[in-house]
Amino acid sequence: MVSAALKSAPASAGVEIAIRDVSHSFDLEGAPLPVLENVSLTAARGEFVALLGPSGCGKSTLLRLVAGLEPPTKGEVAADGQRISGPDPSRVVVFQDPTLFPWRNVRDNVSLGLEAQGLLKTSGARIDATLRLVGLENFAKAFPHQLSGGMAQRVALARALVNDPELLILDEPLGKLDSLTRLSMQGEIVNLWRRAGFTALLVTHDIEEALLMATRVVVFSARPASIKADIRIDKPYPRHRDDPDLVARRREILTLLGLDASW
């Protein structure tokens, strides 16, 4: 049965991600530093999964493995049943810092991936449509120093979305924004996901953000990270932070993280 949260998303646009018995460690002065421990997780096509856990527990490392930026020490990460062995344009990462090129205007920053693939000459309409999608059609010729933080992050989203990704990987993309811009961007990302139907993986430290945006919230332990809980949020959009069910879920997650006595 498809959850109410997923009914408006095109079912075929996303990709299924399967993380199977993944452990990972880094070499620290010749000694292994365990970061992930026996993590198994599946994200269905078109699902929006948020990853929560203590700072430094390994959530962003897991996103790097899914993106194909490095292989796991143990286990397997697969997209639609095919082992991920490297980066692919169908899996796009949006980081906390927009990392825009200051010498390129908005349109040229958005077109960077298409340019790298040799598709720039045939993709003008696609770029324009993506700028409209994120509300930046009137800022195509603006440069990064002329943009607010929220606008710069929308450019980063457009740069990802112009590639028609099957998987959008969001590594704390709103962490540096002010609270009002962050609230607005949360809604914008959800609307883009519902419209396009890609699969989304979000790392965030904000429990409310995860509850407002995701169809599932996966809670990790401290490093080396293992999964403590996998919580389905079967609520329609838009969601409201004072919804009693979400307030109860927030308390549940705080308890899992050992922070319930502090709030």
Side-chain angles (χ1 to χ4, degrees):
M1 182 176 175
V2 178
S3 71
L6 290 176
K7 285 182 179 177
S8 60
S12 61
V15 63
E16 181 185 81
I17 297 297
I19 300 163
R20 303 186 185 100
D21 299 319
V22 163
S23 295
H24 195 66
S25 60
F26 296 118
D27 188 291
L28 188 64
E29 296 182 347
L33 175 67
V35 179
L36 300 168
E37 184 173 11
N38 295 325
V39 173
S40 291
L41 172 68
T42 299
R45 289 172 180 260
E47 198 166 21
F48 196 131
V49 181
L51 311 182
L52 276 173
S55 181
C57 74
K59 304 181 299 297
S60 293
T61 297
L62 185 60
L63 292 191
R64 289 181 59 82
L65 302 183
V66 173
L69 299 178
E70 57 187 289
T73 304
K74 172 181 172 287
E76 180 182 78
V77 184
D80 279 346
Q82 299 297 312
R83 188 185 189 108
I84 294 174
S85 57
D88 188 274
S90 67
R91 301 186 302 274
V92 183
V93 185
V94 178
F95 296 101
Q96 185 179 85
D97 190 330
T99 59
L100 305 180
F101 289 109
W103 60 87
R104 297 177 70 116
N105 63 29
V106 165
R107 197 176 196 281
D108 290 343
N109 266 288
V110 170
S111 65
L112 195 62
L114 296 173
E115 185 178 330
Q117 298 175 62
L119 301 174
L120 188 57
K121 290 184 179 180
T122 59
S123 300
R126 185 164 152 190
I127 296 167
D128 293 337
T130 305
L131 288 172
R132 285 194 298 272
L133 190 66
V134 298
L136 290 174
E137 65 271 26
N138 295 326
F139 293 87
K141 294 184 179 180
F143 286 86
H145 73 274
Q146 299 172 307
L147 306 176
S148 68
M151 292 171 70
Q153 197 57 275
R154 280 200 291 272
V155 177
L157 281 168
R159 186 174 56 193
L161 295 172
V162 78
N163 294 293
D164 292 328
E166 295 178 339
L167 174 67
L168 188 63
I169 300 170
L170 301 158
D171 192 0
E172 294 192 77
L174 311 181
K176 291 186 177 179
L177 301 180
D178 66 86
S179 58
L180 293 179
T181 304
R182 185 167 186 155
L183 289 174
S184 173
M185 287 294 296
Q186 288 169 359
E188 288 184 25
I189 290 173
V190 167
N191 288 337
L192 290 169
W193 161 70
R194 296 178 75 196
R195 197 176 307 167
F198 48 75
T199 306
L201 290 180
L202 167 71
V203 160
T204 179
H205 287 101
D206 188 323
I207 296 173
E208 283 190 350
E209 183 166 273
L211 292 171
L212 290 171
M213 296 178 69
T215 57
R216 281 167 58 207
V217 177
V218 179
V219 182
F220 287 88
S221 69
R223 189 182 68 239
S226 60
I227 295 175
K228 297 187 75 171
D230 189 337
I231 303 168
R232 182 164 294 280
I233 313 297
D234 195 6
K235 302 285 292 185
Y237 298 96
R239 297 172 182 170
H240 304 281
R241 48 190 29 81
D242 58 352
D243 182 312
D245 290 339
L246 296 185
V247 171
R249 290 294 196 184
R250 181 175 181 273
R251 172 63 65 178
E252 178 185 354
I253 292 169
L254 284 169
T255 300
L256 287 165
L257 294 173
L259 298 171
D260 52 314
S262 305
W263 296 84

